[in-house]
Amino acid sequence: KAGVTQTPRYLIKTRGQQVTLSCSPISGHRSVSWYQQTPGQGLQFLFEYFSETQRNKGNFPGRFSGRQFSNSRSEMNVSTLELGDSALYLCASSLGGGADTQYFGPGTRLTVL
Amino acid sequence: AQSVTQLDSQVPVFEEAPVELRCNYSSSVSVYLFWYVQYPNQGLQLLLKYLSGSTLVKGINGFEAEFNKSQTSFHLRKPSVHISDTAEYFCAVSQGGSQGNLIFGKGTKLSVKP
């Protein structure tokens, strides 16, 4: 079975721009979660989608948004980029329950200049 | 609110020595507990998880962890480490039910020296 894939792997943007990151989950997984990883704040939960609906949301501003498609693929969007948005963005997929293992993709490294 | 504390940000150890990476959590409800490993420039890989039952959980690569409810701890151990175990290790909790989000600790960087 193919693992979780994320595209692109690396991205450089400038302040004020917007960016869209993509995540393809493991086949059969209906839940996709997004996390932001930075040296200062560590791993922080952004949001989770399950069957095209946002089920959980972390404590991030509204500039961070996401969606999930009928094939479970997910995208996250960050508008009006700030320098502090530079991070590794990780996507994880699972069957959907809290006890289910989340399988992580390799991440997208976003640099905001 | 749930939180996870990893007591050591860095742990240096010599090859073939035992190691313990400490993790404490706080939660007012039952939780599921996980340990993940992250190698440089990669995503996270699950080492092991505790859902219920036996408090001693065995994982991949010779790692094990013990769930201690009274001390709210879930420490990770390995009796003999290898150079290839050099990585960052994250402890995480999930509230369970339909909550698919993980709360992570800040991570512990394990450095194995020859």
Side-chain angles (χ1 to χ4, degrees), chain B residues 11-13 19 21 63 81 85-89 108-112:
Chain B
V11 172
V13 64
V19 70
L21 306 183
F63 284 93
V81 294
D85 292 323
T86 295
E88 190 158 18
Y89 293 79
T108 297
K109 289 184 179 175
L110 175 65
S111 176
V112 181

Side-chain angles (χ1 to χ4, degrees), chain B residues 5-59:
Chain B
T5 302
Q6 291 185 242
L7 296 158
D8 305 294
S9 59
Q10 297 190 55
V11 172
V13 64
F14 287 105
E15 193 174 18
E16 297 184 6
V19 70
E20 179 179 79
L21 306 183
R22 297 179 291 169
C23 172
N24 286 89
Y25 69 93
S26 66
S27 176
S28 58
V29 299
S30 296
V31 296
Y32 302 124
L33 296 156
F34 304 79
W35 274 100
Y36 282 86
V37 60
Q38 186 177 34
Y39 298 101
N41 301 313
Q42 294 186 29
L44 278 70
Q45 179 184 8
L46 180 73
L47 281 175
L48 48 80
K49 65 181 180 182
Y50 173 78
L51 303 181
S52 65
S54 173
T55 57
L56 184 62
V57 181
K58 293 191 183 297

Side-chain angles (χ1 to χ4, degrees), chain B residues 36-109:
Chain B
Y36 282 86
V37 60
Q38 186 177 34
Y39 298 101
N41 301 313
Q42 294 186 29
L44 278 70
Q45 179 184 8
L46 180 73
L47 281 175
L48 48 80
K49 65 181 180 182
Y50 173 78
L51 303 181
S52 65
S54 173
T55 57
L56 184 62
V57 181
K58 293 191 183 297
I60 62 171
N61 301 341
F63 284 93
E64 64 180 31
E66 184 151 23
F67 170 63
N68 188 317
K69 188 174 182 179
S70 63
Q71 297 186 5
T72 59
S73 68
F74 190 54
H75 300 334
L76 181 70
R77 295 192 291 257
K78 186 169 182 178
S80 175
V81 294
H82 302 126
I83 298 287
S84 59
D85 292 323
T86 295
E88 190 158 18
Y89 293 79
F90 293 92
C91 180
V93 301
S94 165
Q95 188 174 313
S98 64
Q99 303 296 314
N101 56 298
L102 293 170
I103 308 298
F104 284 91
K106 294 287 190 184
T108 297
K109 289 184 179 175

Side-chain angles (χ1 to χ4, degrees), chain A residues 53-113:
Chain A
T53 300
Q54 187 180 88
R55 188 162 69 170
N56 291 298
K57 188 177 189 303
N59 190 24
F60 277 82
R63 300 186 296 107
F64 291 82
S65 63
R67 59 178 177 169
Q68 186 179 34
F69 302 95
S70 58
N71 62 358
S72 292
R73 189 177 69 87
S74 177
E75 289 180 346
M76 69 162 280
N77 183 276
V78 188
S79 63
T80 320
L81 284 165
E82 300 177 0
L83 295 178
D85 296 333
S86 293
L88 181 67
Y89 290 88
L90 292 163
C91 161
S93 78
S94 76
L95 292 171
D100 295 321
T101 298
Q102 293 198 18
Y103 295 88
F104 284 80
T108 294
R109 173 75 62 185
L110 172 64
T111 302
V112 182
L113 302 177

